[in-house]
Amino acid sequence: MEHDKKNIMVVLSSPSGAGKTTITKKIQQKFNSFKISVSHTTRKPRPNEVNGVDYNFVSKKIFEQMIKEKQLYEYANIYDNYYGTSKEIVDKLIKTNDIIFDIDWQGNKQLSNYEKLNLIKIYITVTSKDELKKRLLKRNQDSKEEVNKRLKSFEEDRKHWKDYDYVVINKNLENCFQQIEKIILSHKKNYLDSINSTIL
Ligand code: 5GP
């Protein structure tokens, strides 16, 4: 992966329903340098999702071809669908932008294997499993079966918090965002300082 050193990569993982989409949008509004790495998936689009914006929706056959041809930096099978990060998309973006990766713990682990990436790994969670259930039911987006699958992975995900640099609890959206904003600003500053001191 060719990495322009002044740009950073932020992994945001969380259970679905923990507010990650809203926080991602807020990061983009605050820092216009950030672009989202639009993943490829074999999952069917939800009613308001747009191909090429929310995901690149592809067939299982195409996805498996991408795996075979090593076109992905990472991929995972989640809730019986493939999700993955295209090398082509990321390599192009990182030349001019900071990147947000909305990926799960498996993808986070695989990206961590790439050395020398300016990667910040953040896990956003909620206060409890009950709170997550409430949020999932409220957004009324998934079938009962899907809600149960997502609740189950809340426990599984917890085991992988150790692979992240930060775990942030989204009890209050504004507060959670402020914490993430601070993390990003401090990493950007540290990184620029370290580059400047190398140049001097
Ligand atoms: P959803 O179906 O709700 O959009 O996403 C389900 C899960 O897939 C979320 O936890 C999301 O972070 C994860 N995900 C989305 N894109 C990718 C990807 O490219 N790679 C990996 N490993 N996970 C992804």
Side-chain angles (χ1 to χ4, degrees):
M1 193 182 297
E2 201 181 309
H3 188 172
D4 183 329
K5 296 225 176 318
K6 73 179 194 313
N7 296 329
I8 58 172
M9 297 177 163
V10 178
V11 170
L12 282 186
S13 302
S14 81
S16 327
K20 183 175 48 183
T21 310
T22 315
I23 286 170
T24 304
K25 282 192 186 132
K26 281 174 86 69
I27 294 174
Q28 284 191 295
Q29 281 161 5
K30 181 88 196 190
F31 306 91
N32 52 21
S33 56
F34 273 98
K35 289 263 190 297
I36 297 174
S37 154
V38 179
S39 300
H40 282 65
T41 184
T42 58
R43 163 165 85 57
K44 295 276 166 284
R46 295 187 183 122
N48 51 7
E49 284 180 329
V50 177
N51 190 27
V53 176
D54 298 288
Y55 282 102
N56 295 297
F57 295 99
V58 293
S59 65
K60 195 173 171 203
K61 193 173 164 201
I62 288 183
F63 200 100
E64 287 176 344
Q65 188 70 21
M66 291 178 80
I67 298 174
K68 213 167 126 195
E69 291 174 1
K70 301 199 187 318
Q71 292 182 34
L72 301 167
Y73 275 126
E74 62 75 32
Y75 70 93
N77 195 310
I78 307 165
Y79 315 125
D80 300 326
N81 283 303
Y82 283 125
Y83 294 79
T85 302
S86 148
K87 288 183 181 174
E88 194 186 343
I89 292 176
V90 172
D91 288 352
K92 220 181 253 174
L93 272 186
I94 198 61
K95 289 188 182 144
T96 46
N97 289 92
D98 297 311
I99 303 184
I100 302 174
F101 295 93
D102 171 350
I103 59 178
D104 81 331
W105 63 268
Q106 301 172 82
N108 177 55
K109 224 172 186 165
Q110 291 169 53
L111 273 194
S112 304
N113 290 333
Y114 288 91
E115 283 176 17
K116 293 185 188 163
L117 289 187
N118 190 4
L119 203 61
I120 313 172
K121 298 172 280 181
I122 305 174
Y123 193 91
I124 303 169
T125 189
V126 287
T127 45
S128 66
K129 198 171 169 180
D130 275 351
E131 172 62 23
L132 185 66
K133 188 173 181 182
K134 255 193 245 161
R135 289 179 186 227
L136 286 171
L137 293 175
K138 193 172 157 200
R139 77 176 185 179
N140 199 19
Q141 190 176 268
D142 308 294
S143 66
K144 210 171 168 187
E145 191 189 325
E146 286 206 353
V147 168
N148 283 335
K149 272 195 219 169
R150 282 157 207 270
L151 284 174
K152 230 181 188 173
S153 58
F154 180 76
E155 302 292 349
E156 176 63 29
D157 278 20
R158 218 184 257 246
K159 296 180 199 154
H160 304 281
W161 285 2
K162 62 181 182 336
D163 298 328
Y164 291 82
D165 301 314
Y166 303 90
V167 176
V168 180
I169 296 173
N170 183 8
K171 192 171 177 190
N172 165 289
L173 184 70
E174 209 41 54
N175 195 294
C176 176
F177 173 67
Q178 277 173 16
Q179 288 183 58
I180 292 174
E181 187 186 359
K182 261 191 203 154
I183 293 170
I184 291 173
L185 282 171
S186 93
H187 276 261
K188 268 218 151 277
K189 185 178 176 311
N190 287 346
Y191 214 71
L192 289 175
D193 285 351
S194 77
I195 292 169
N196 286 336
S197 67
T198 320
I199 295 168
L200 285 175

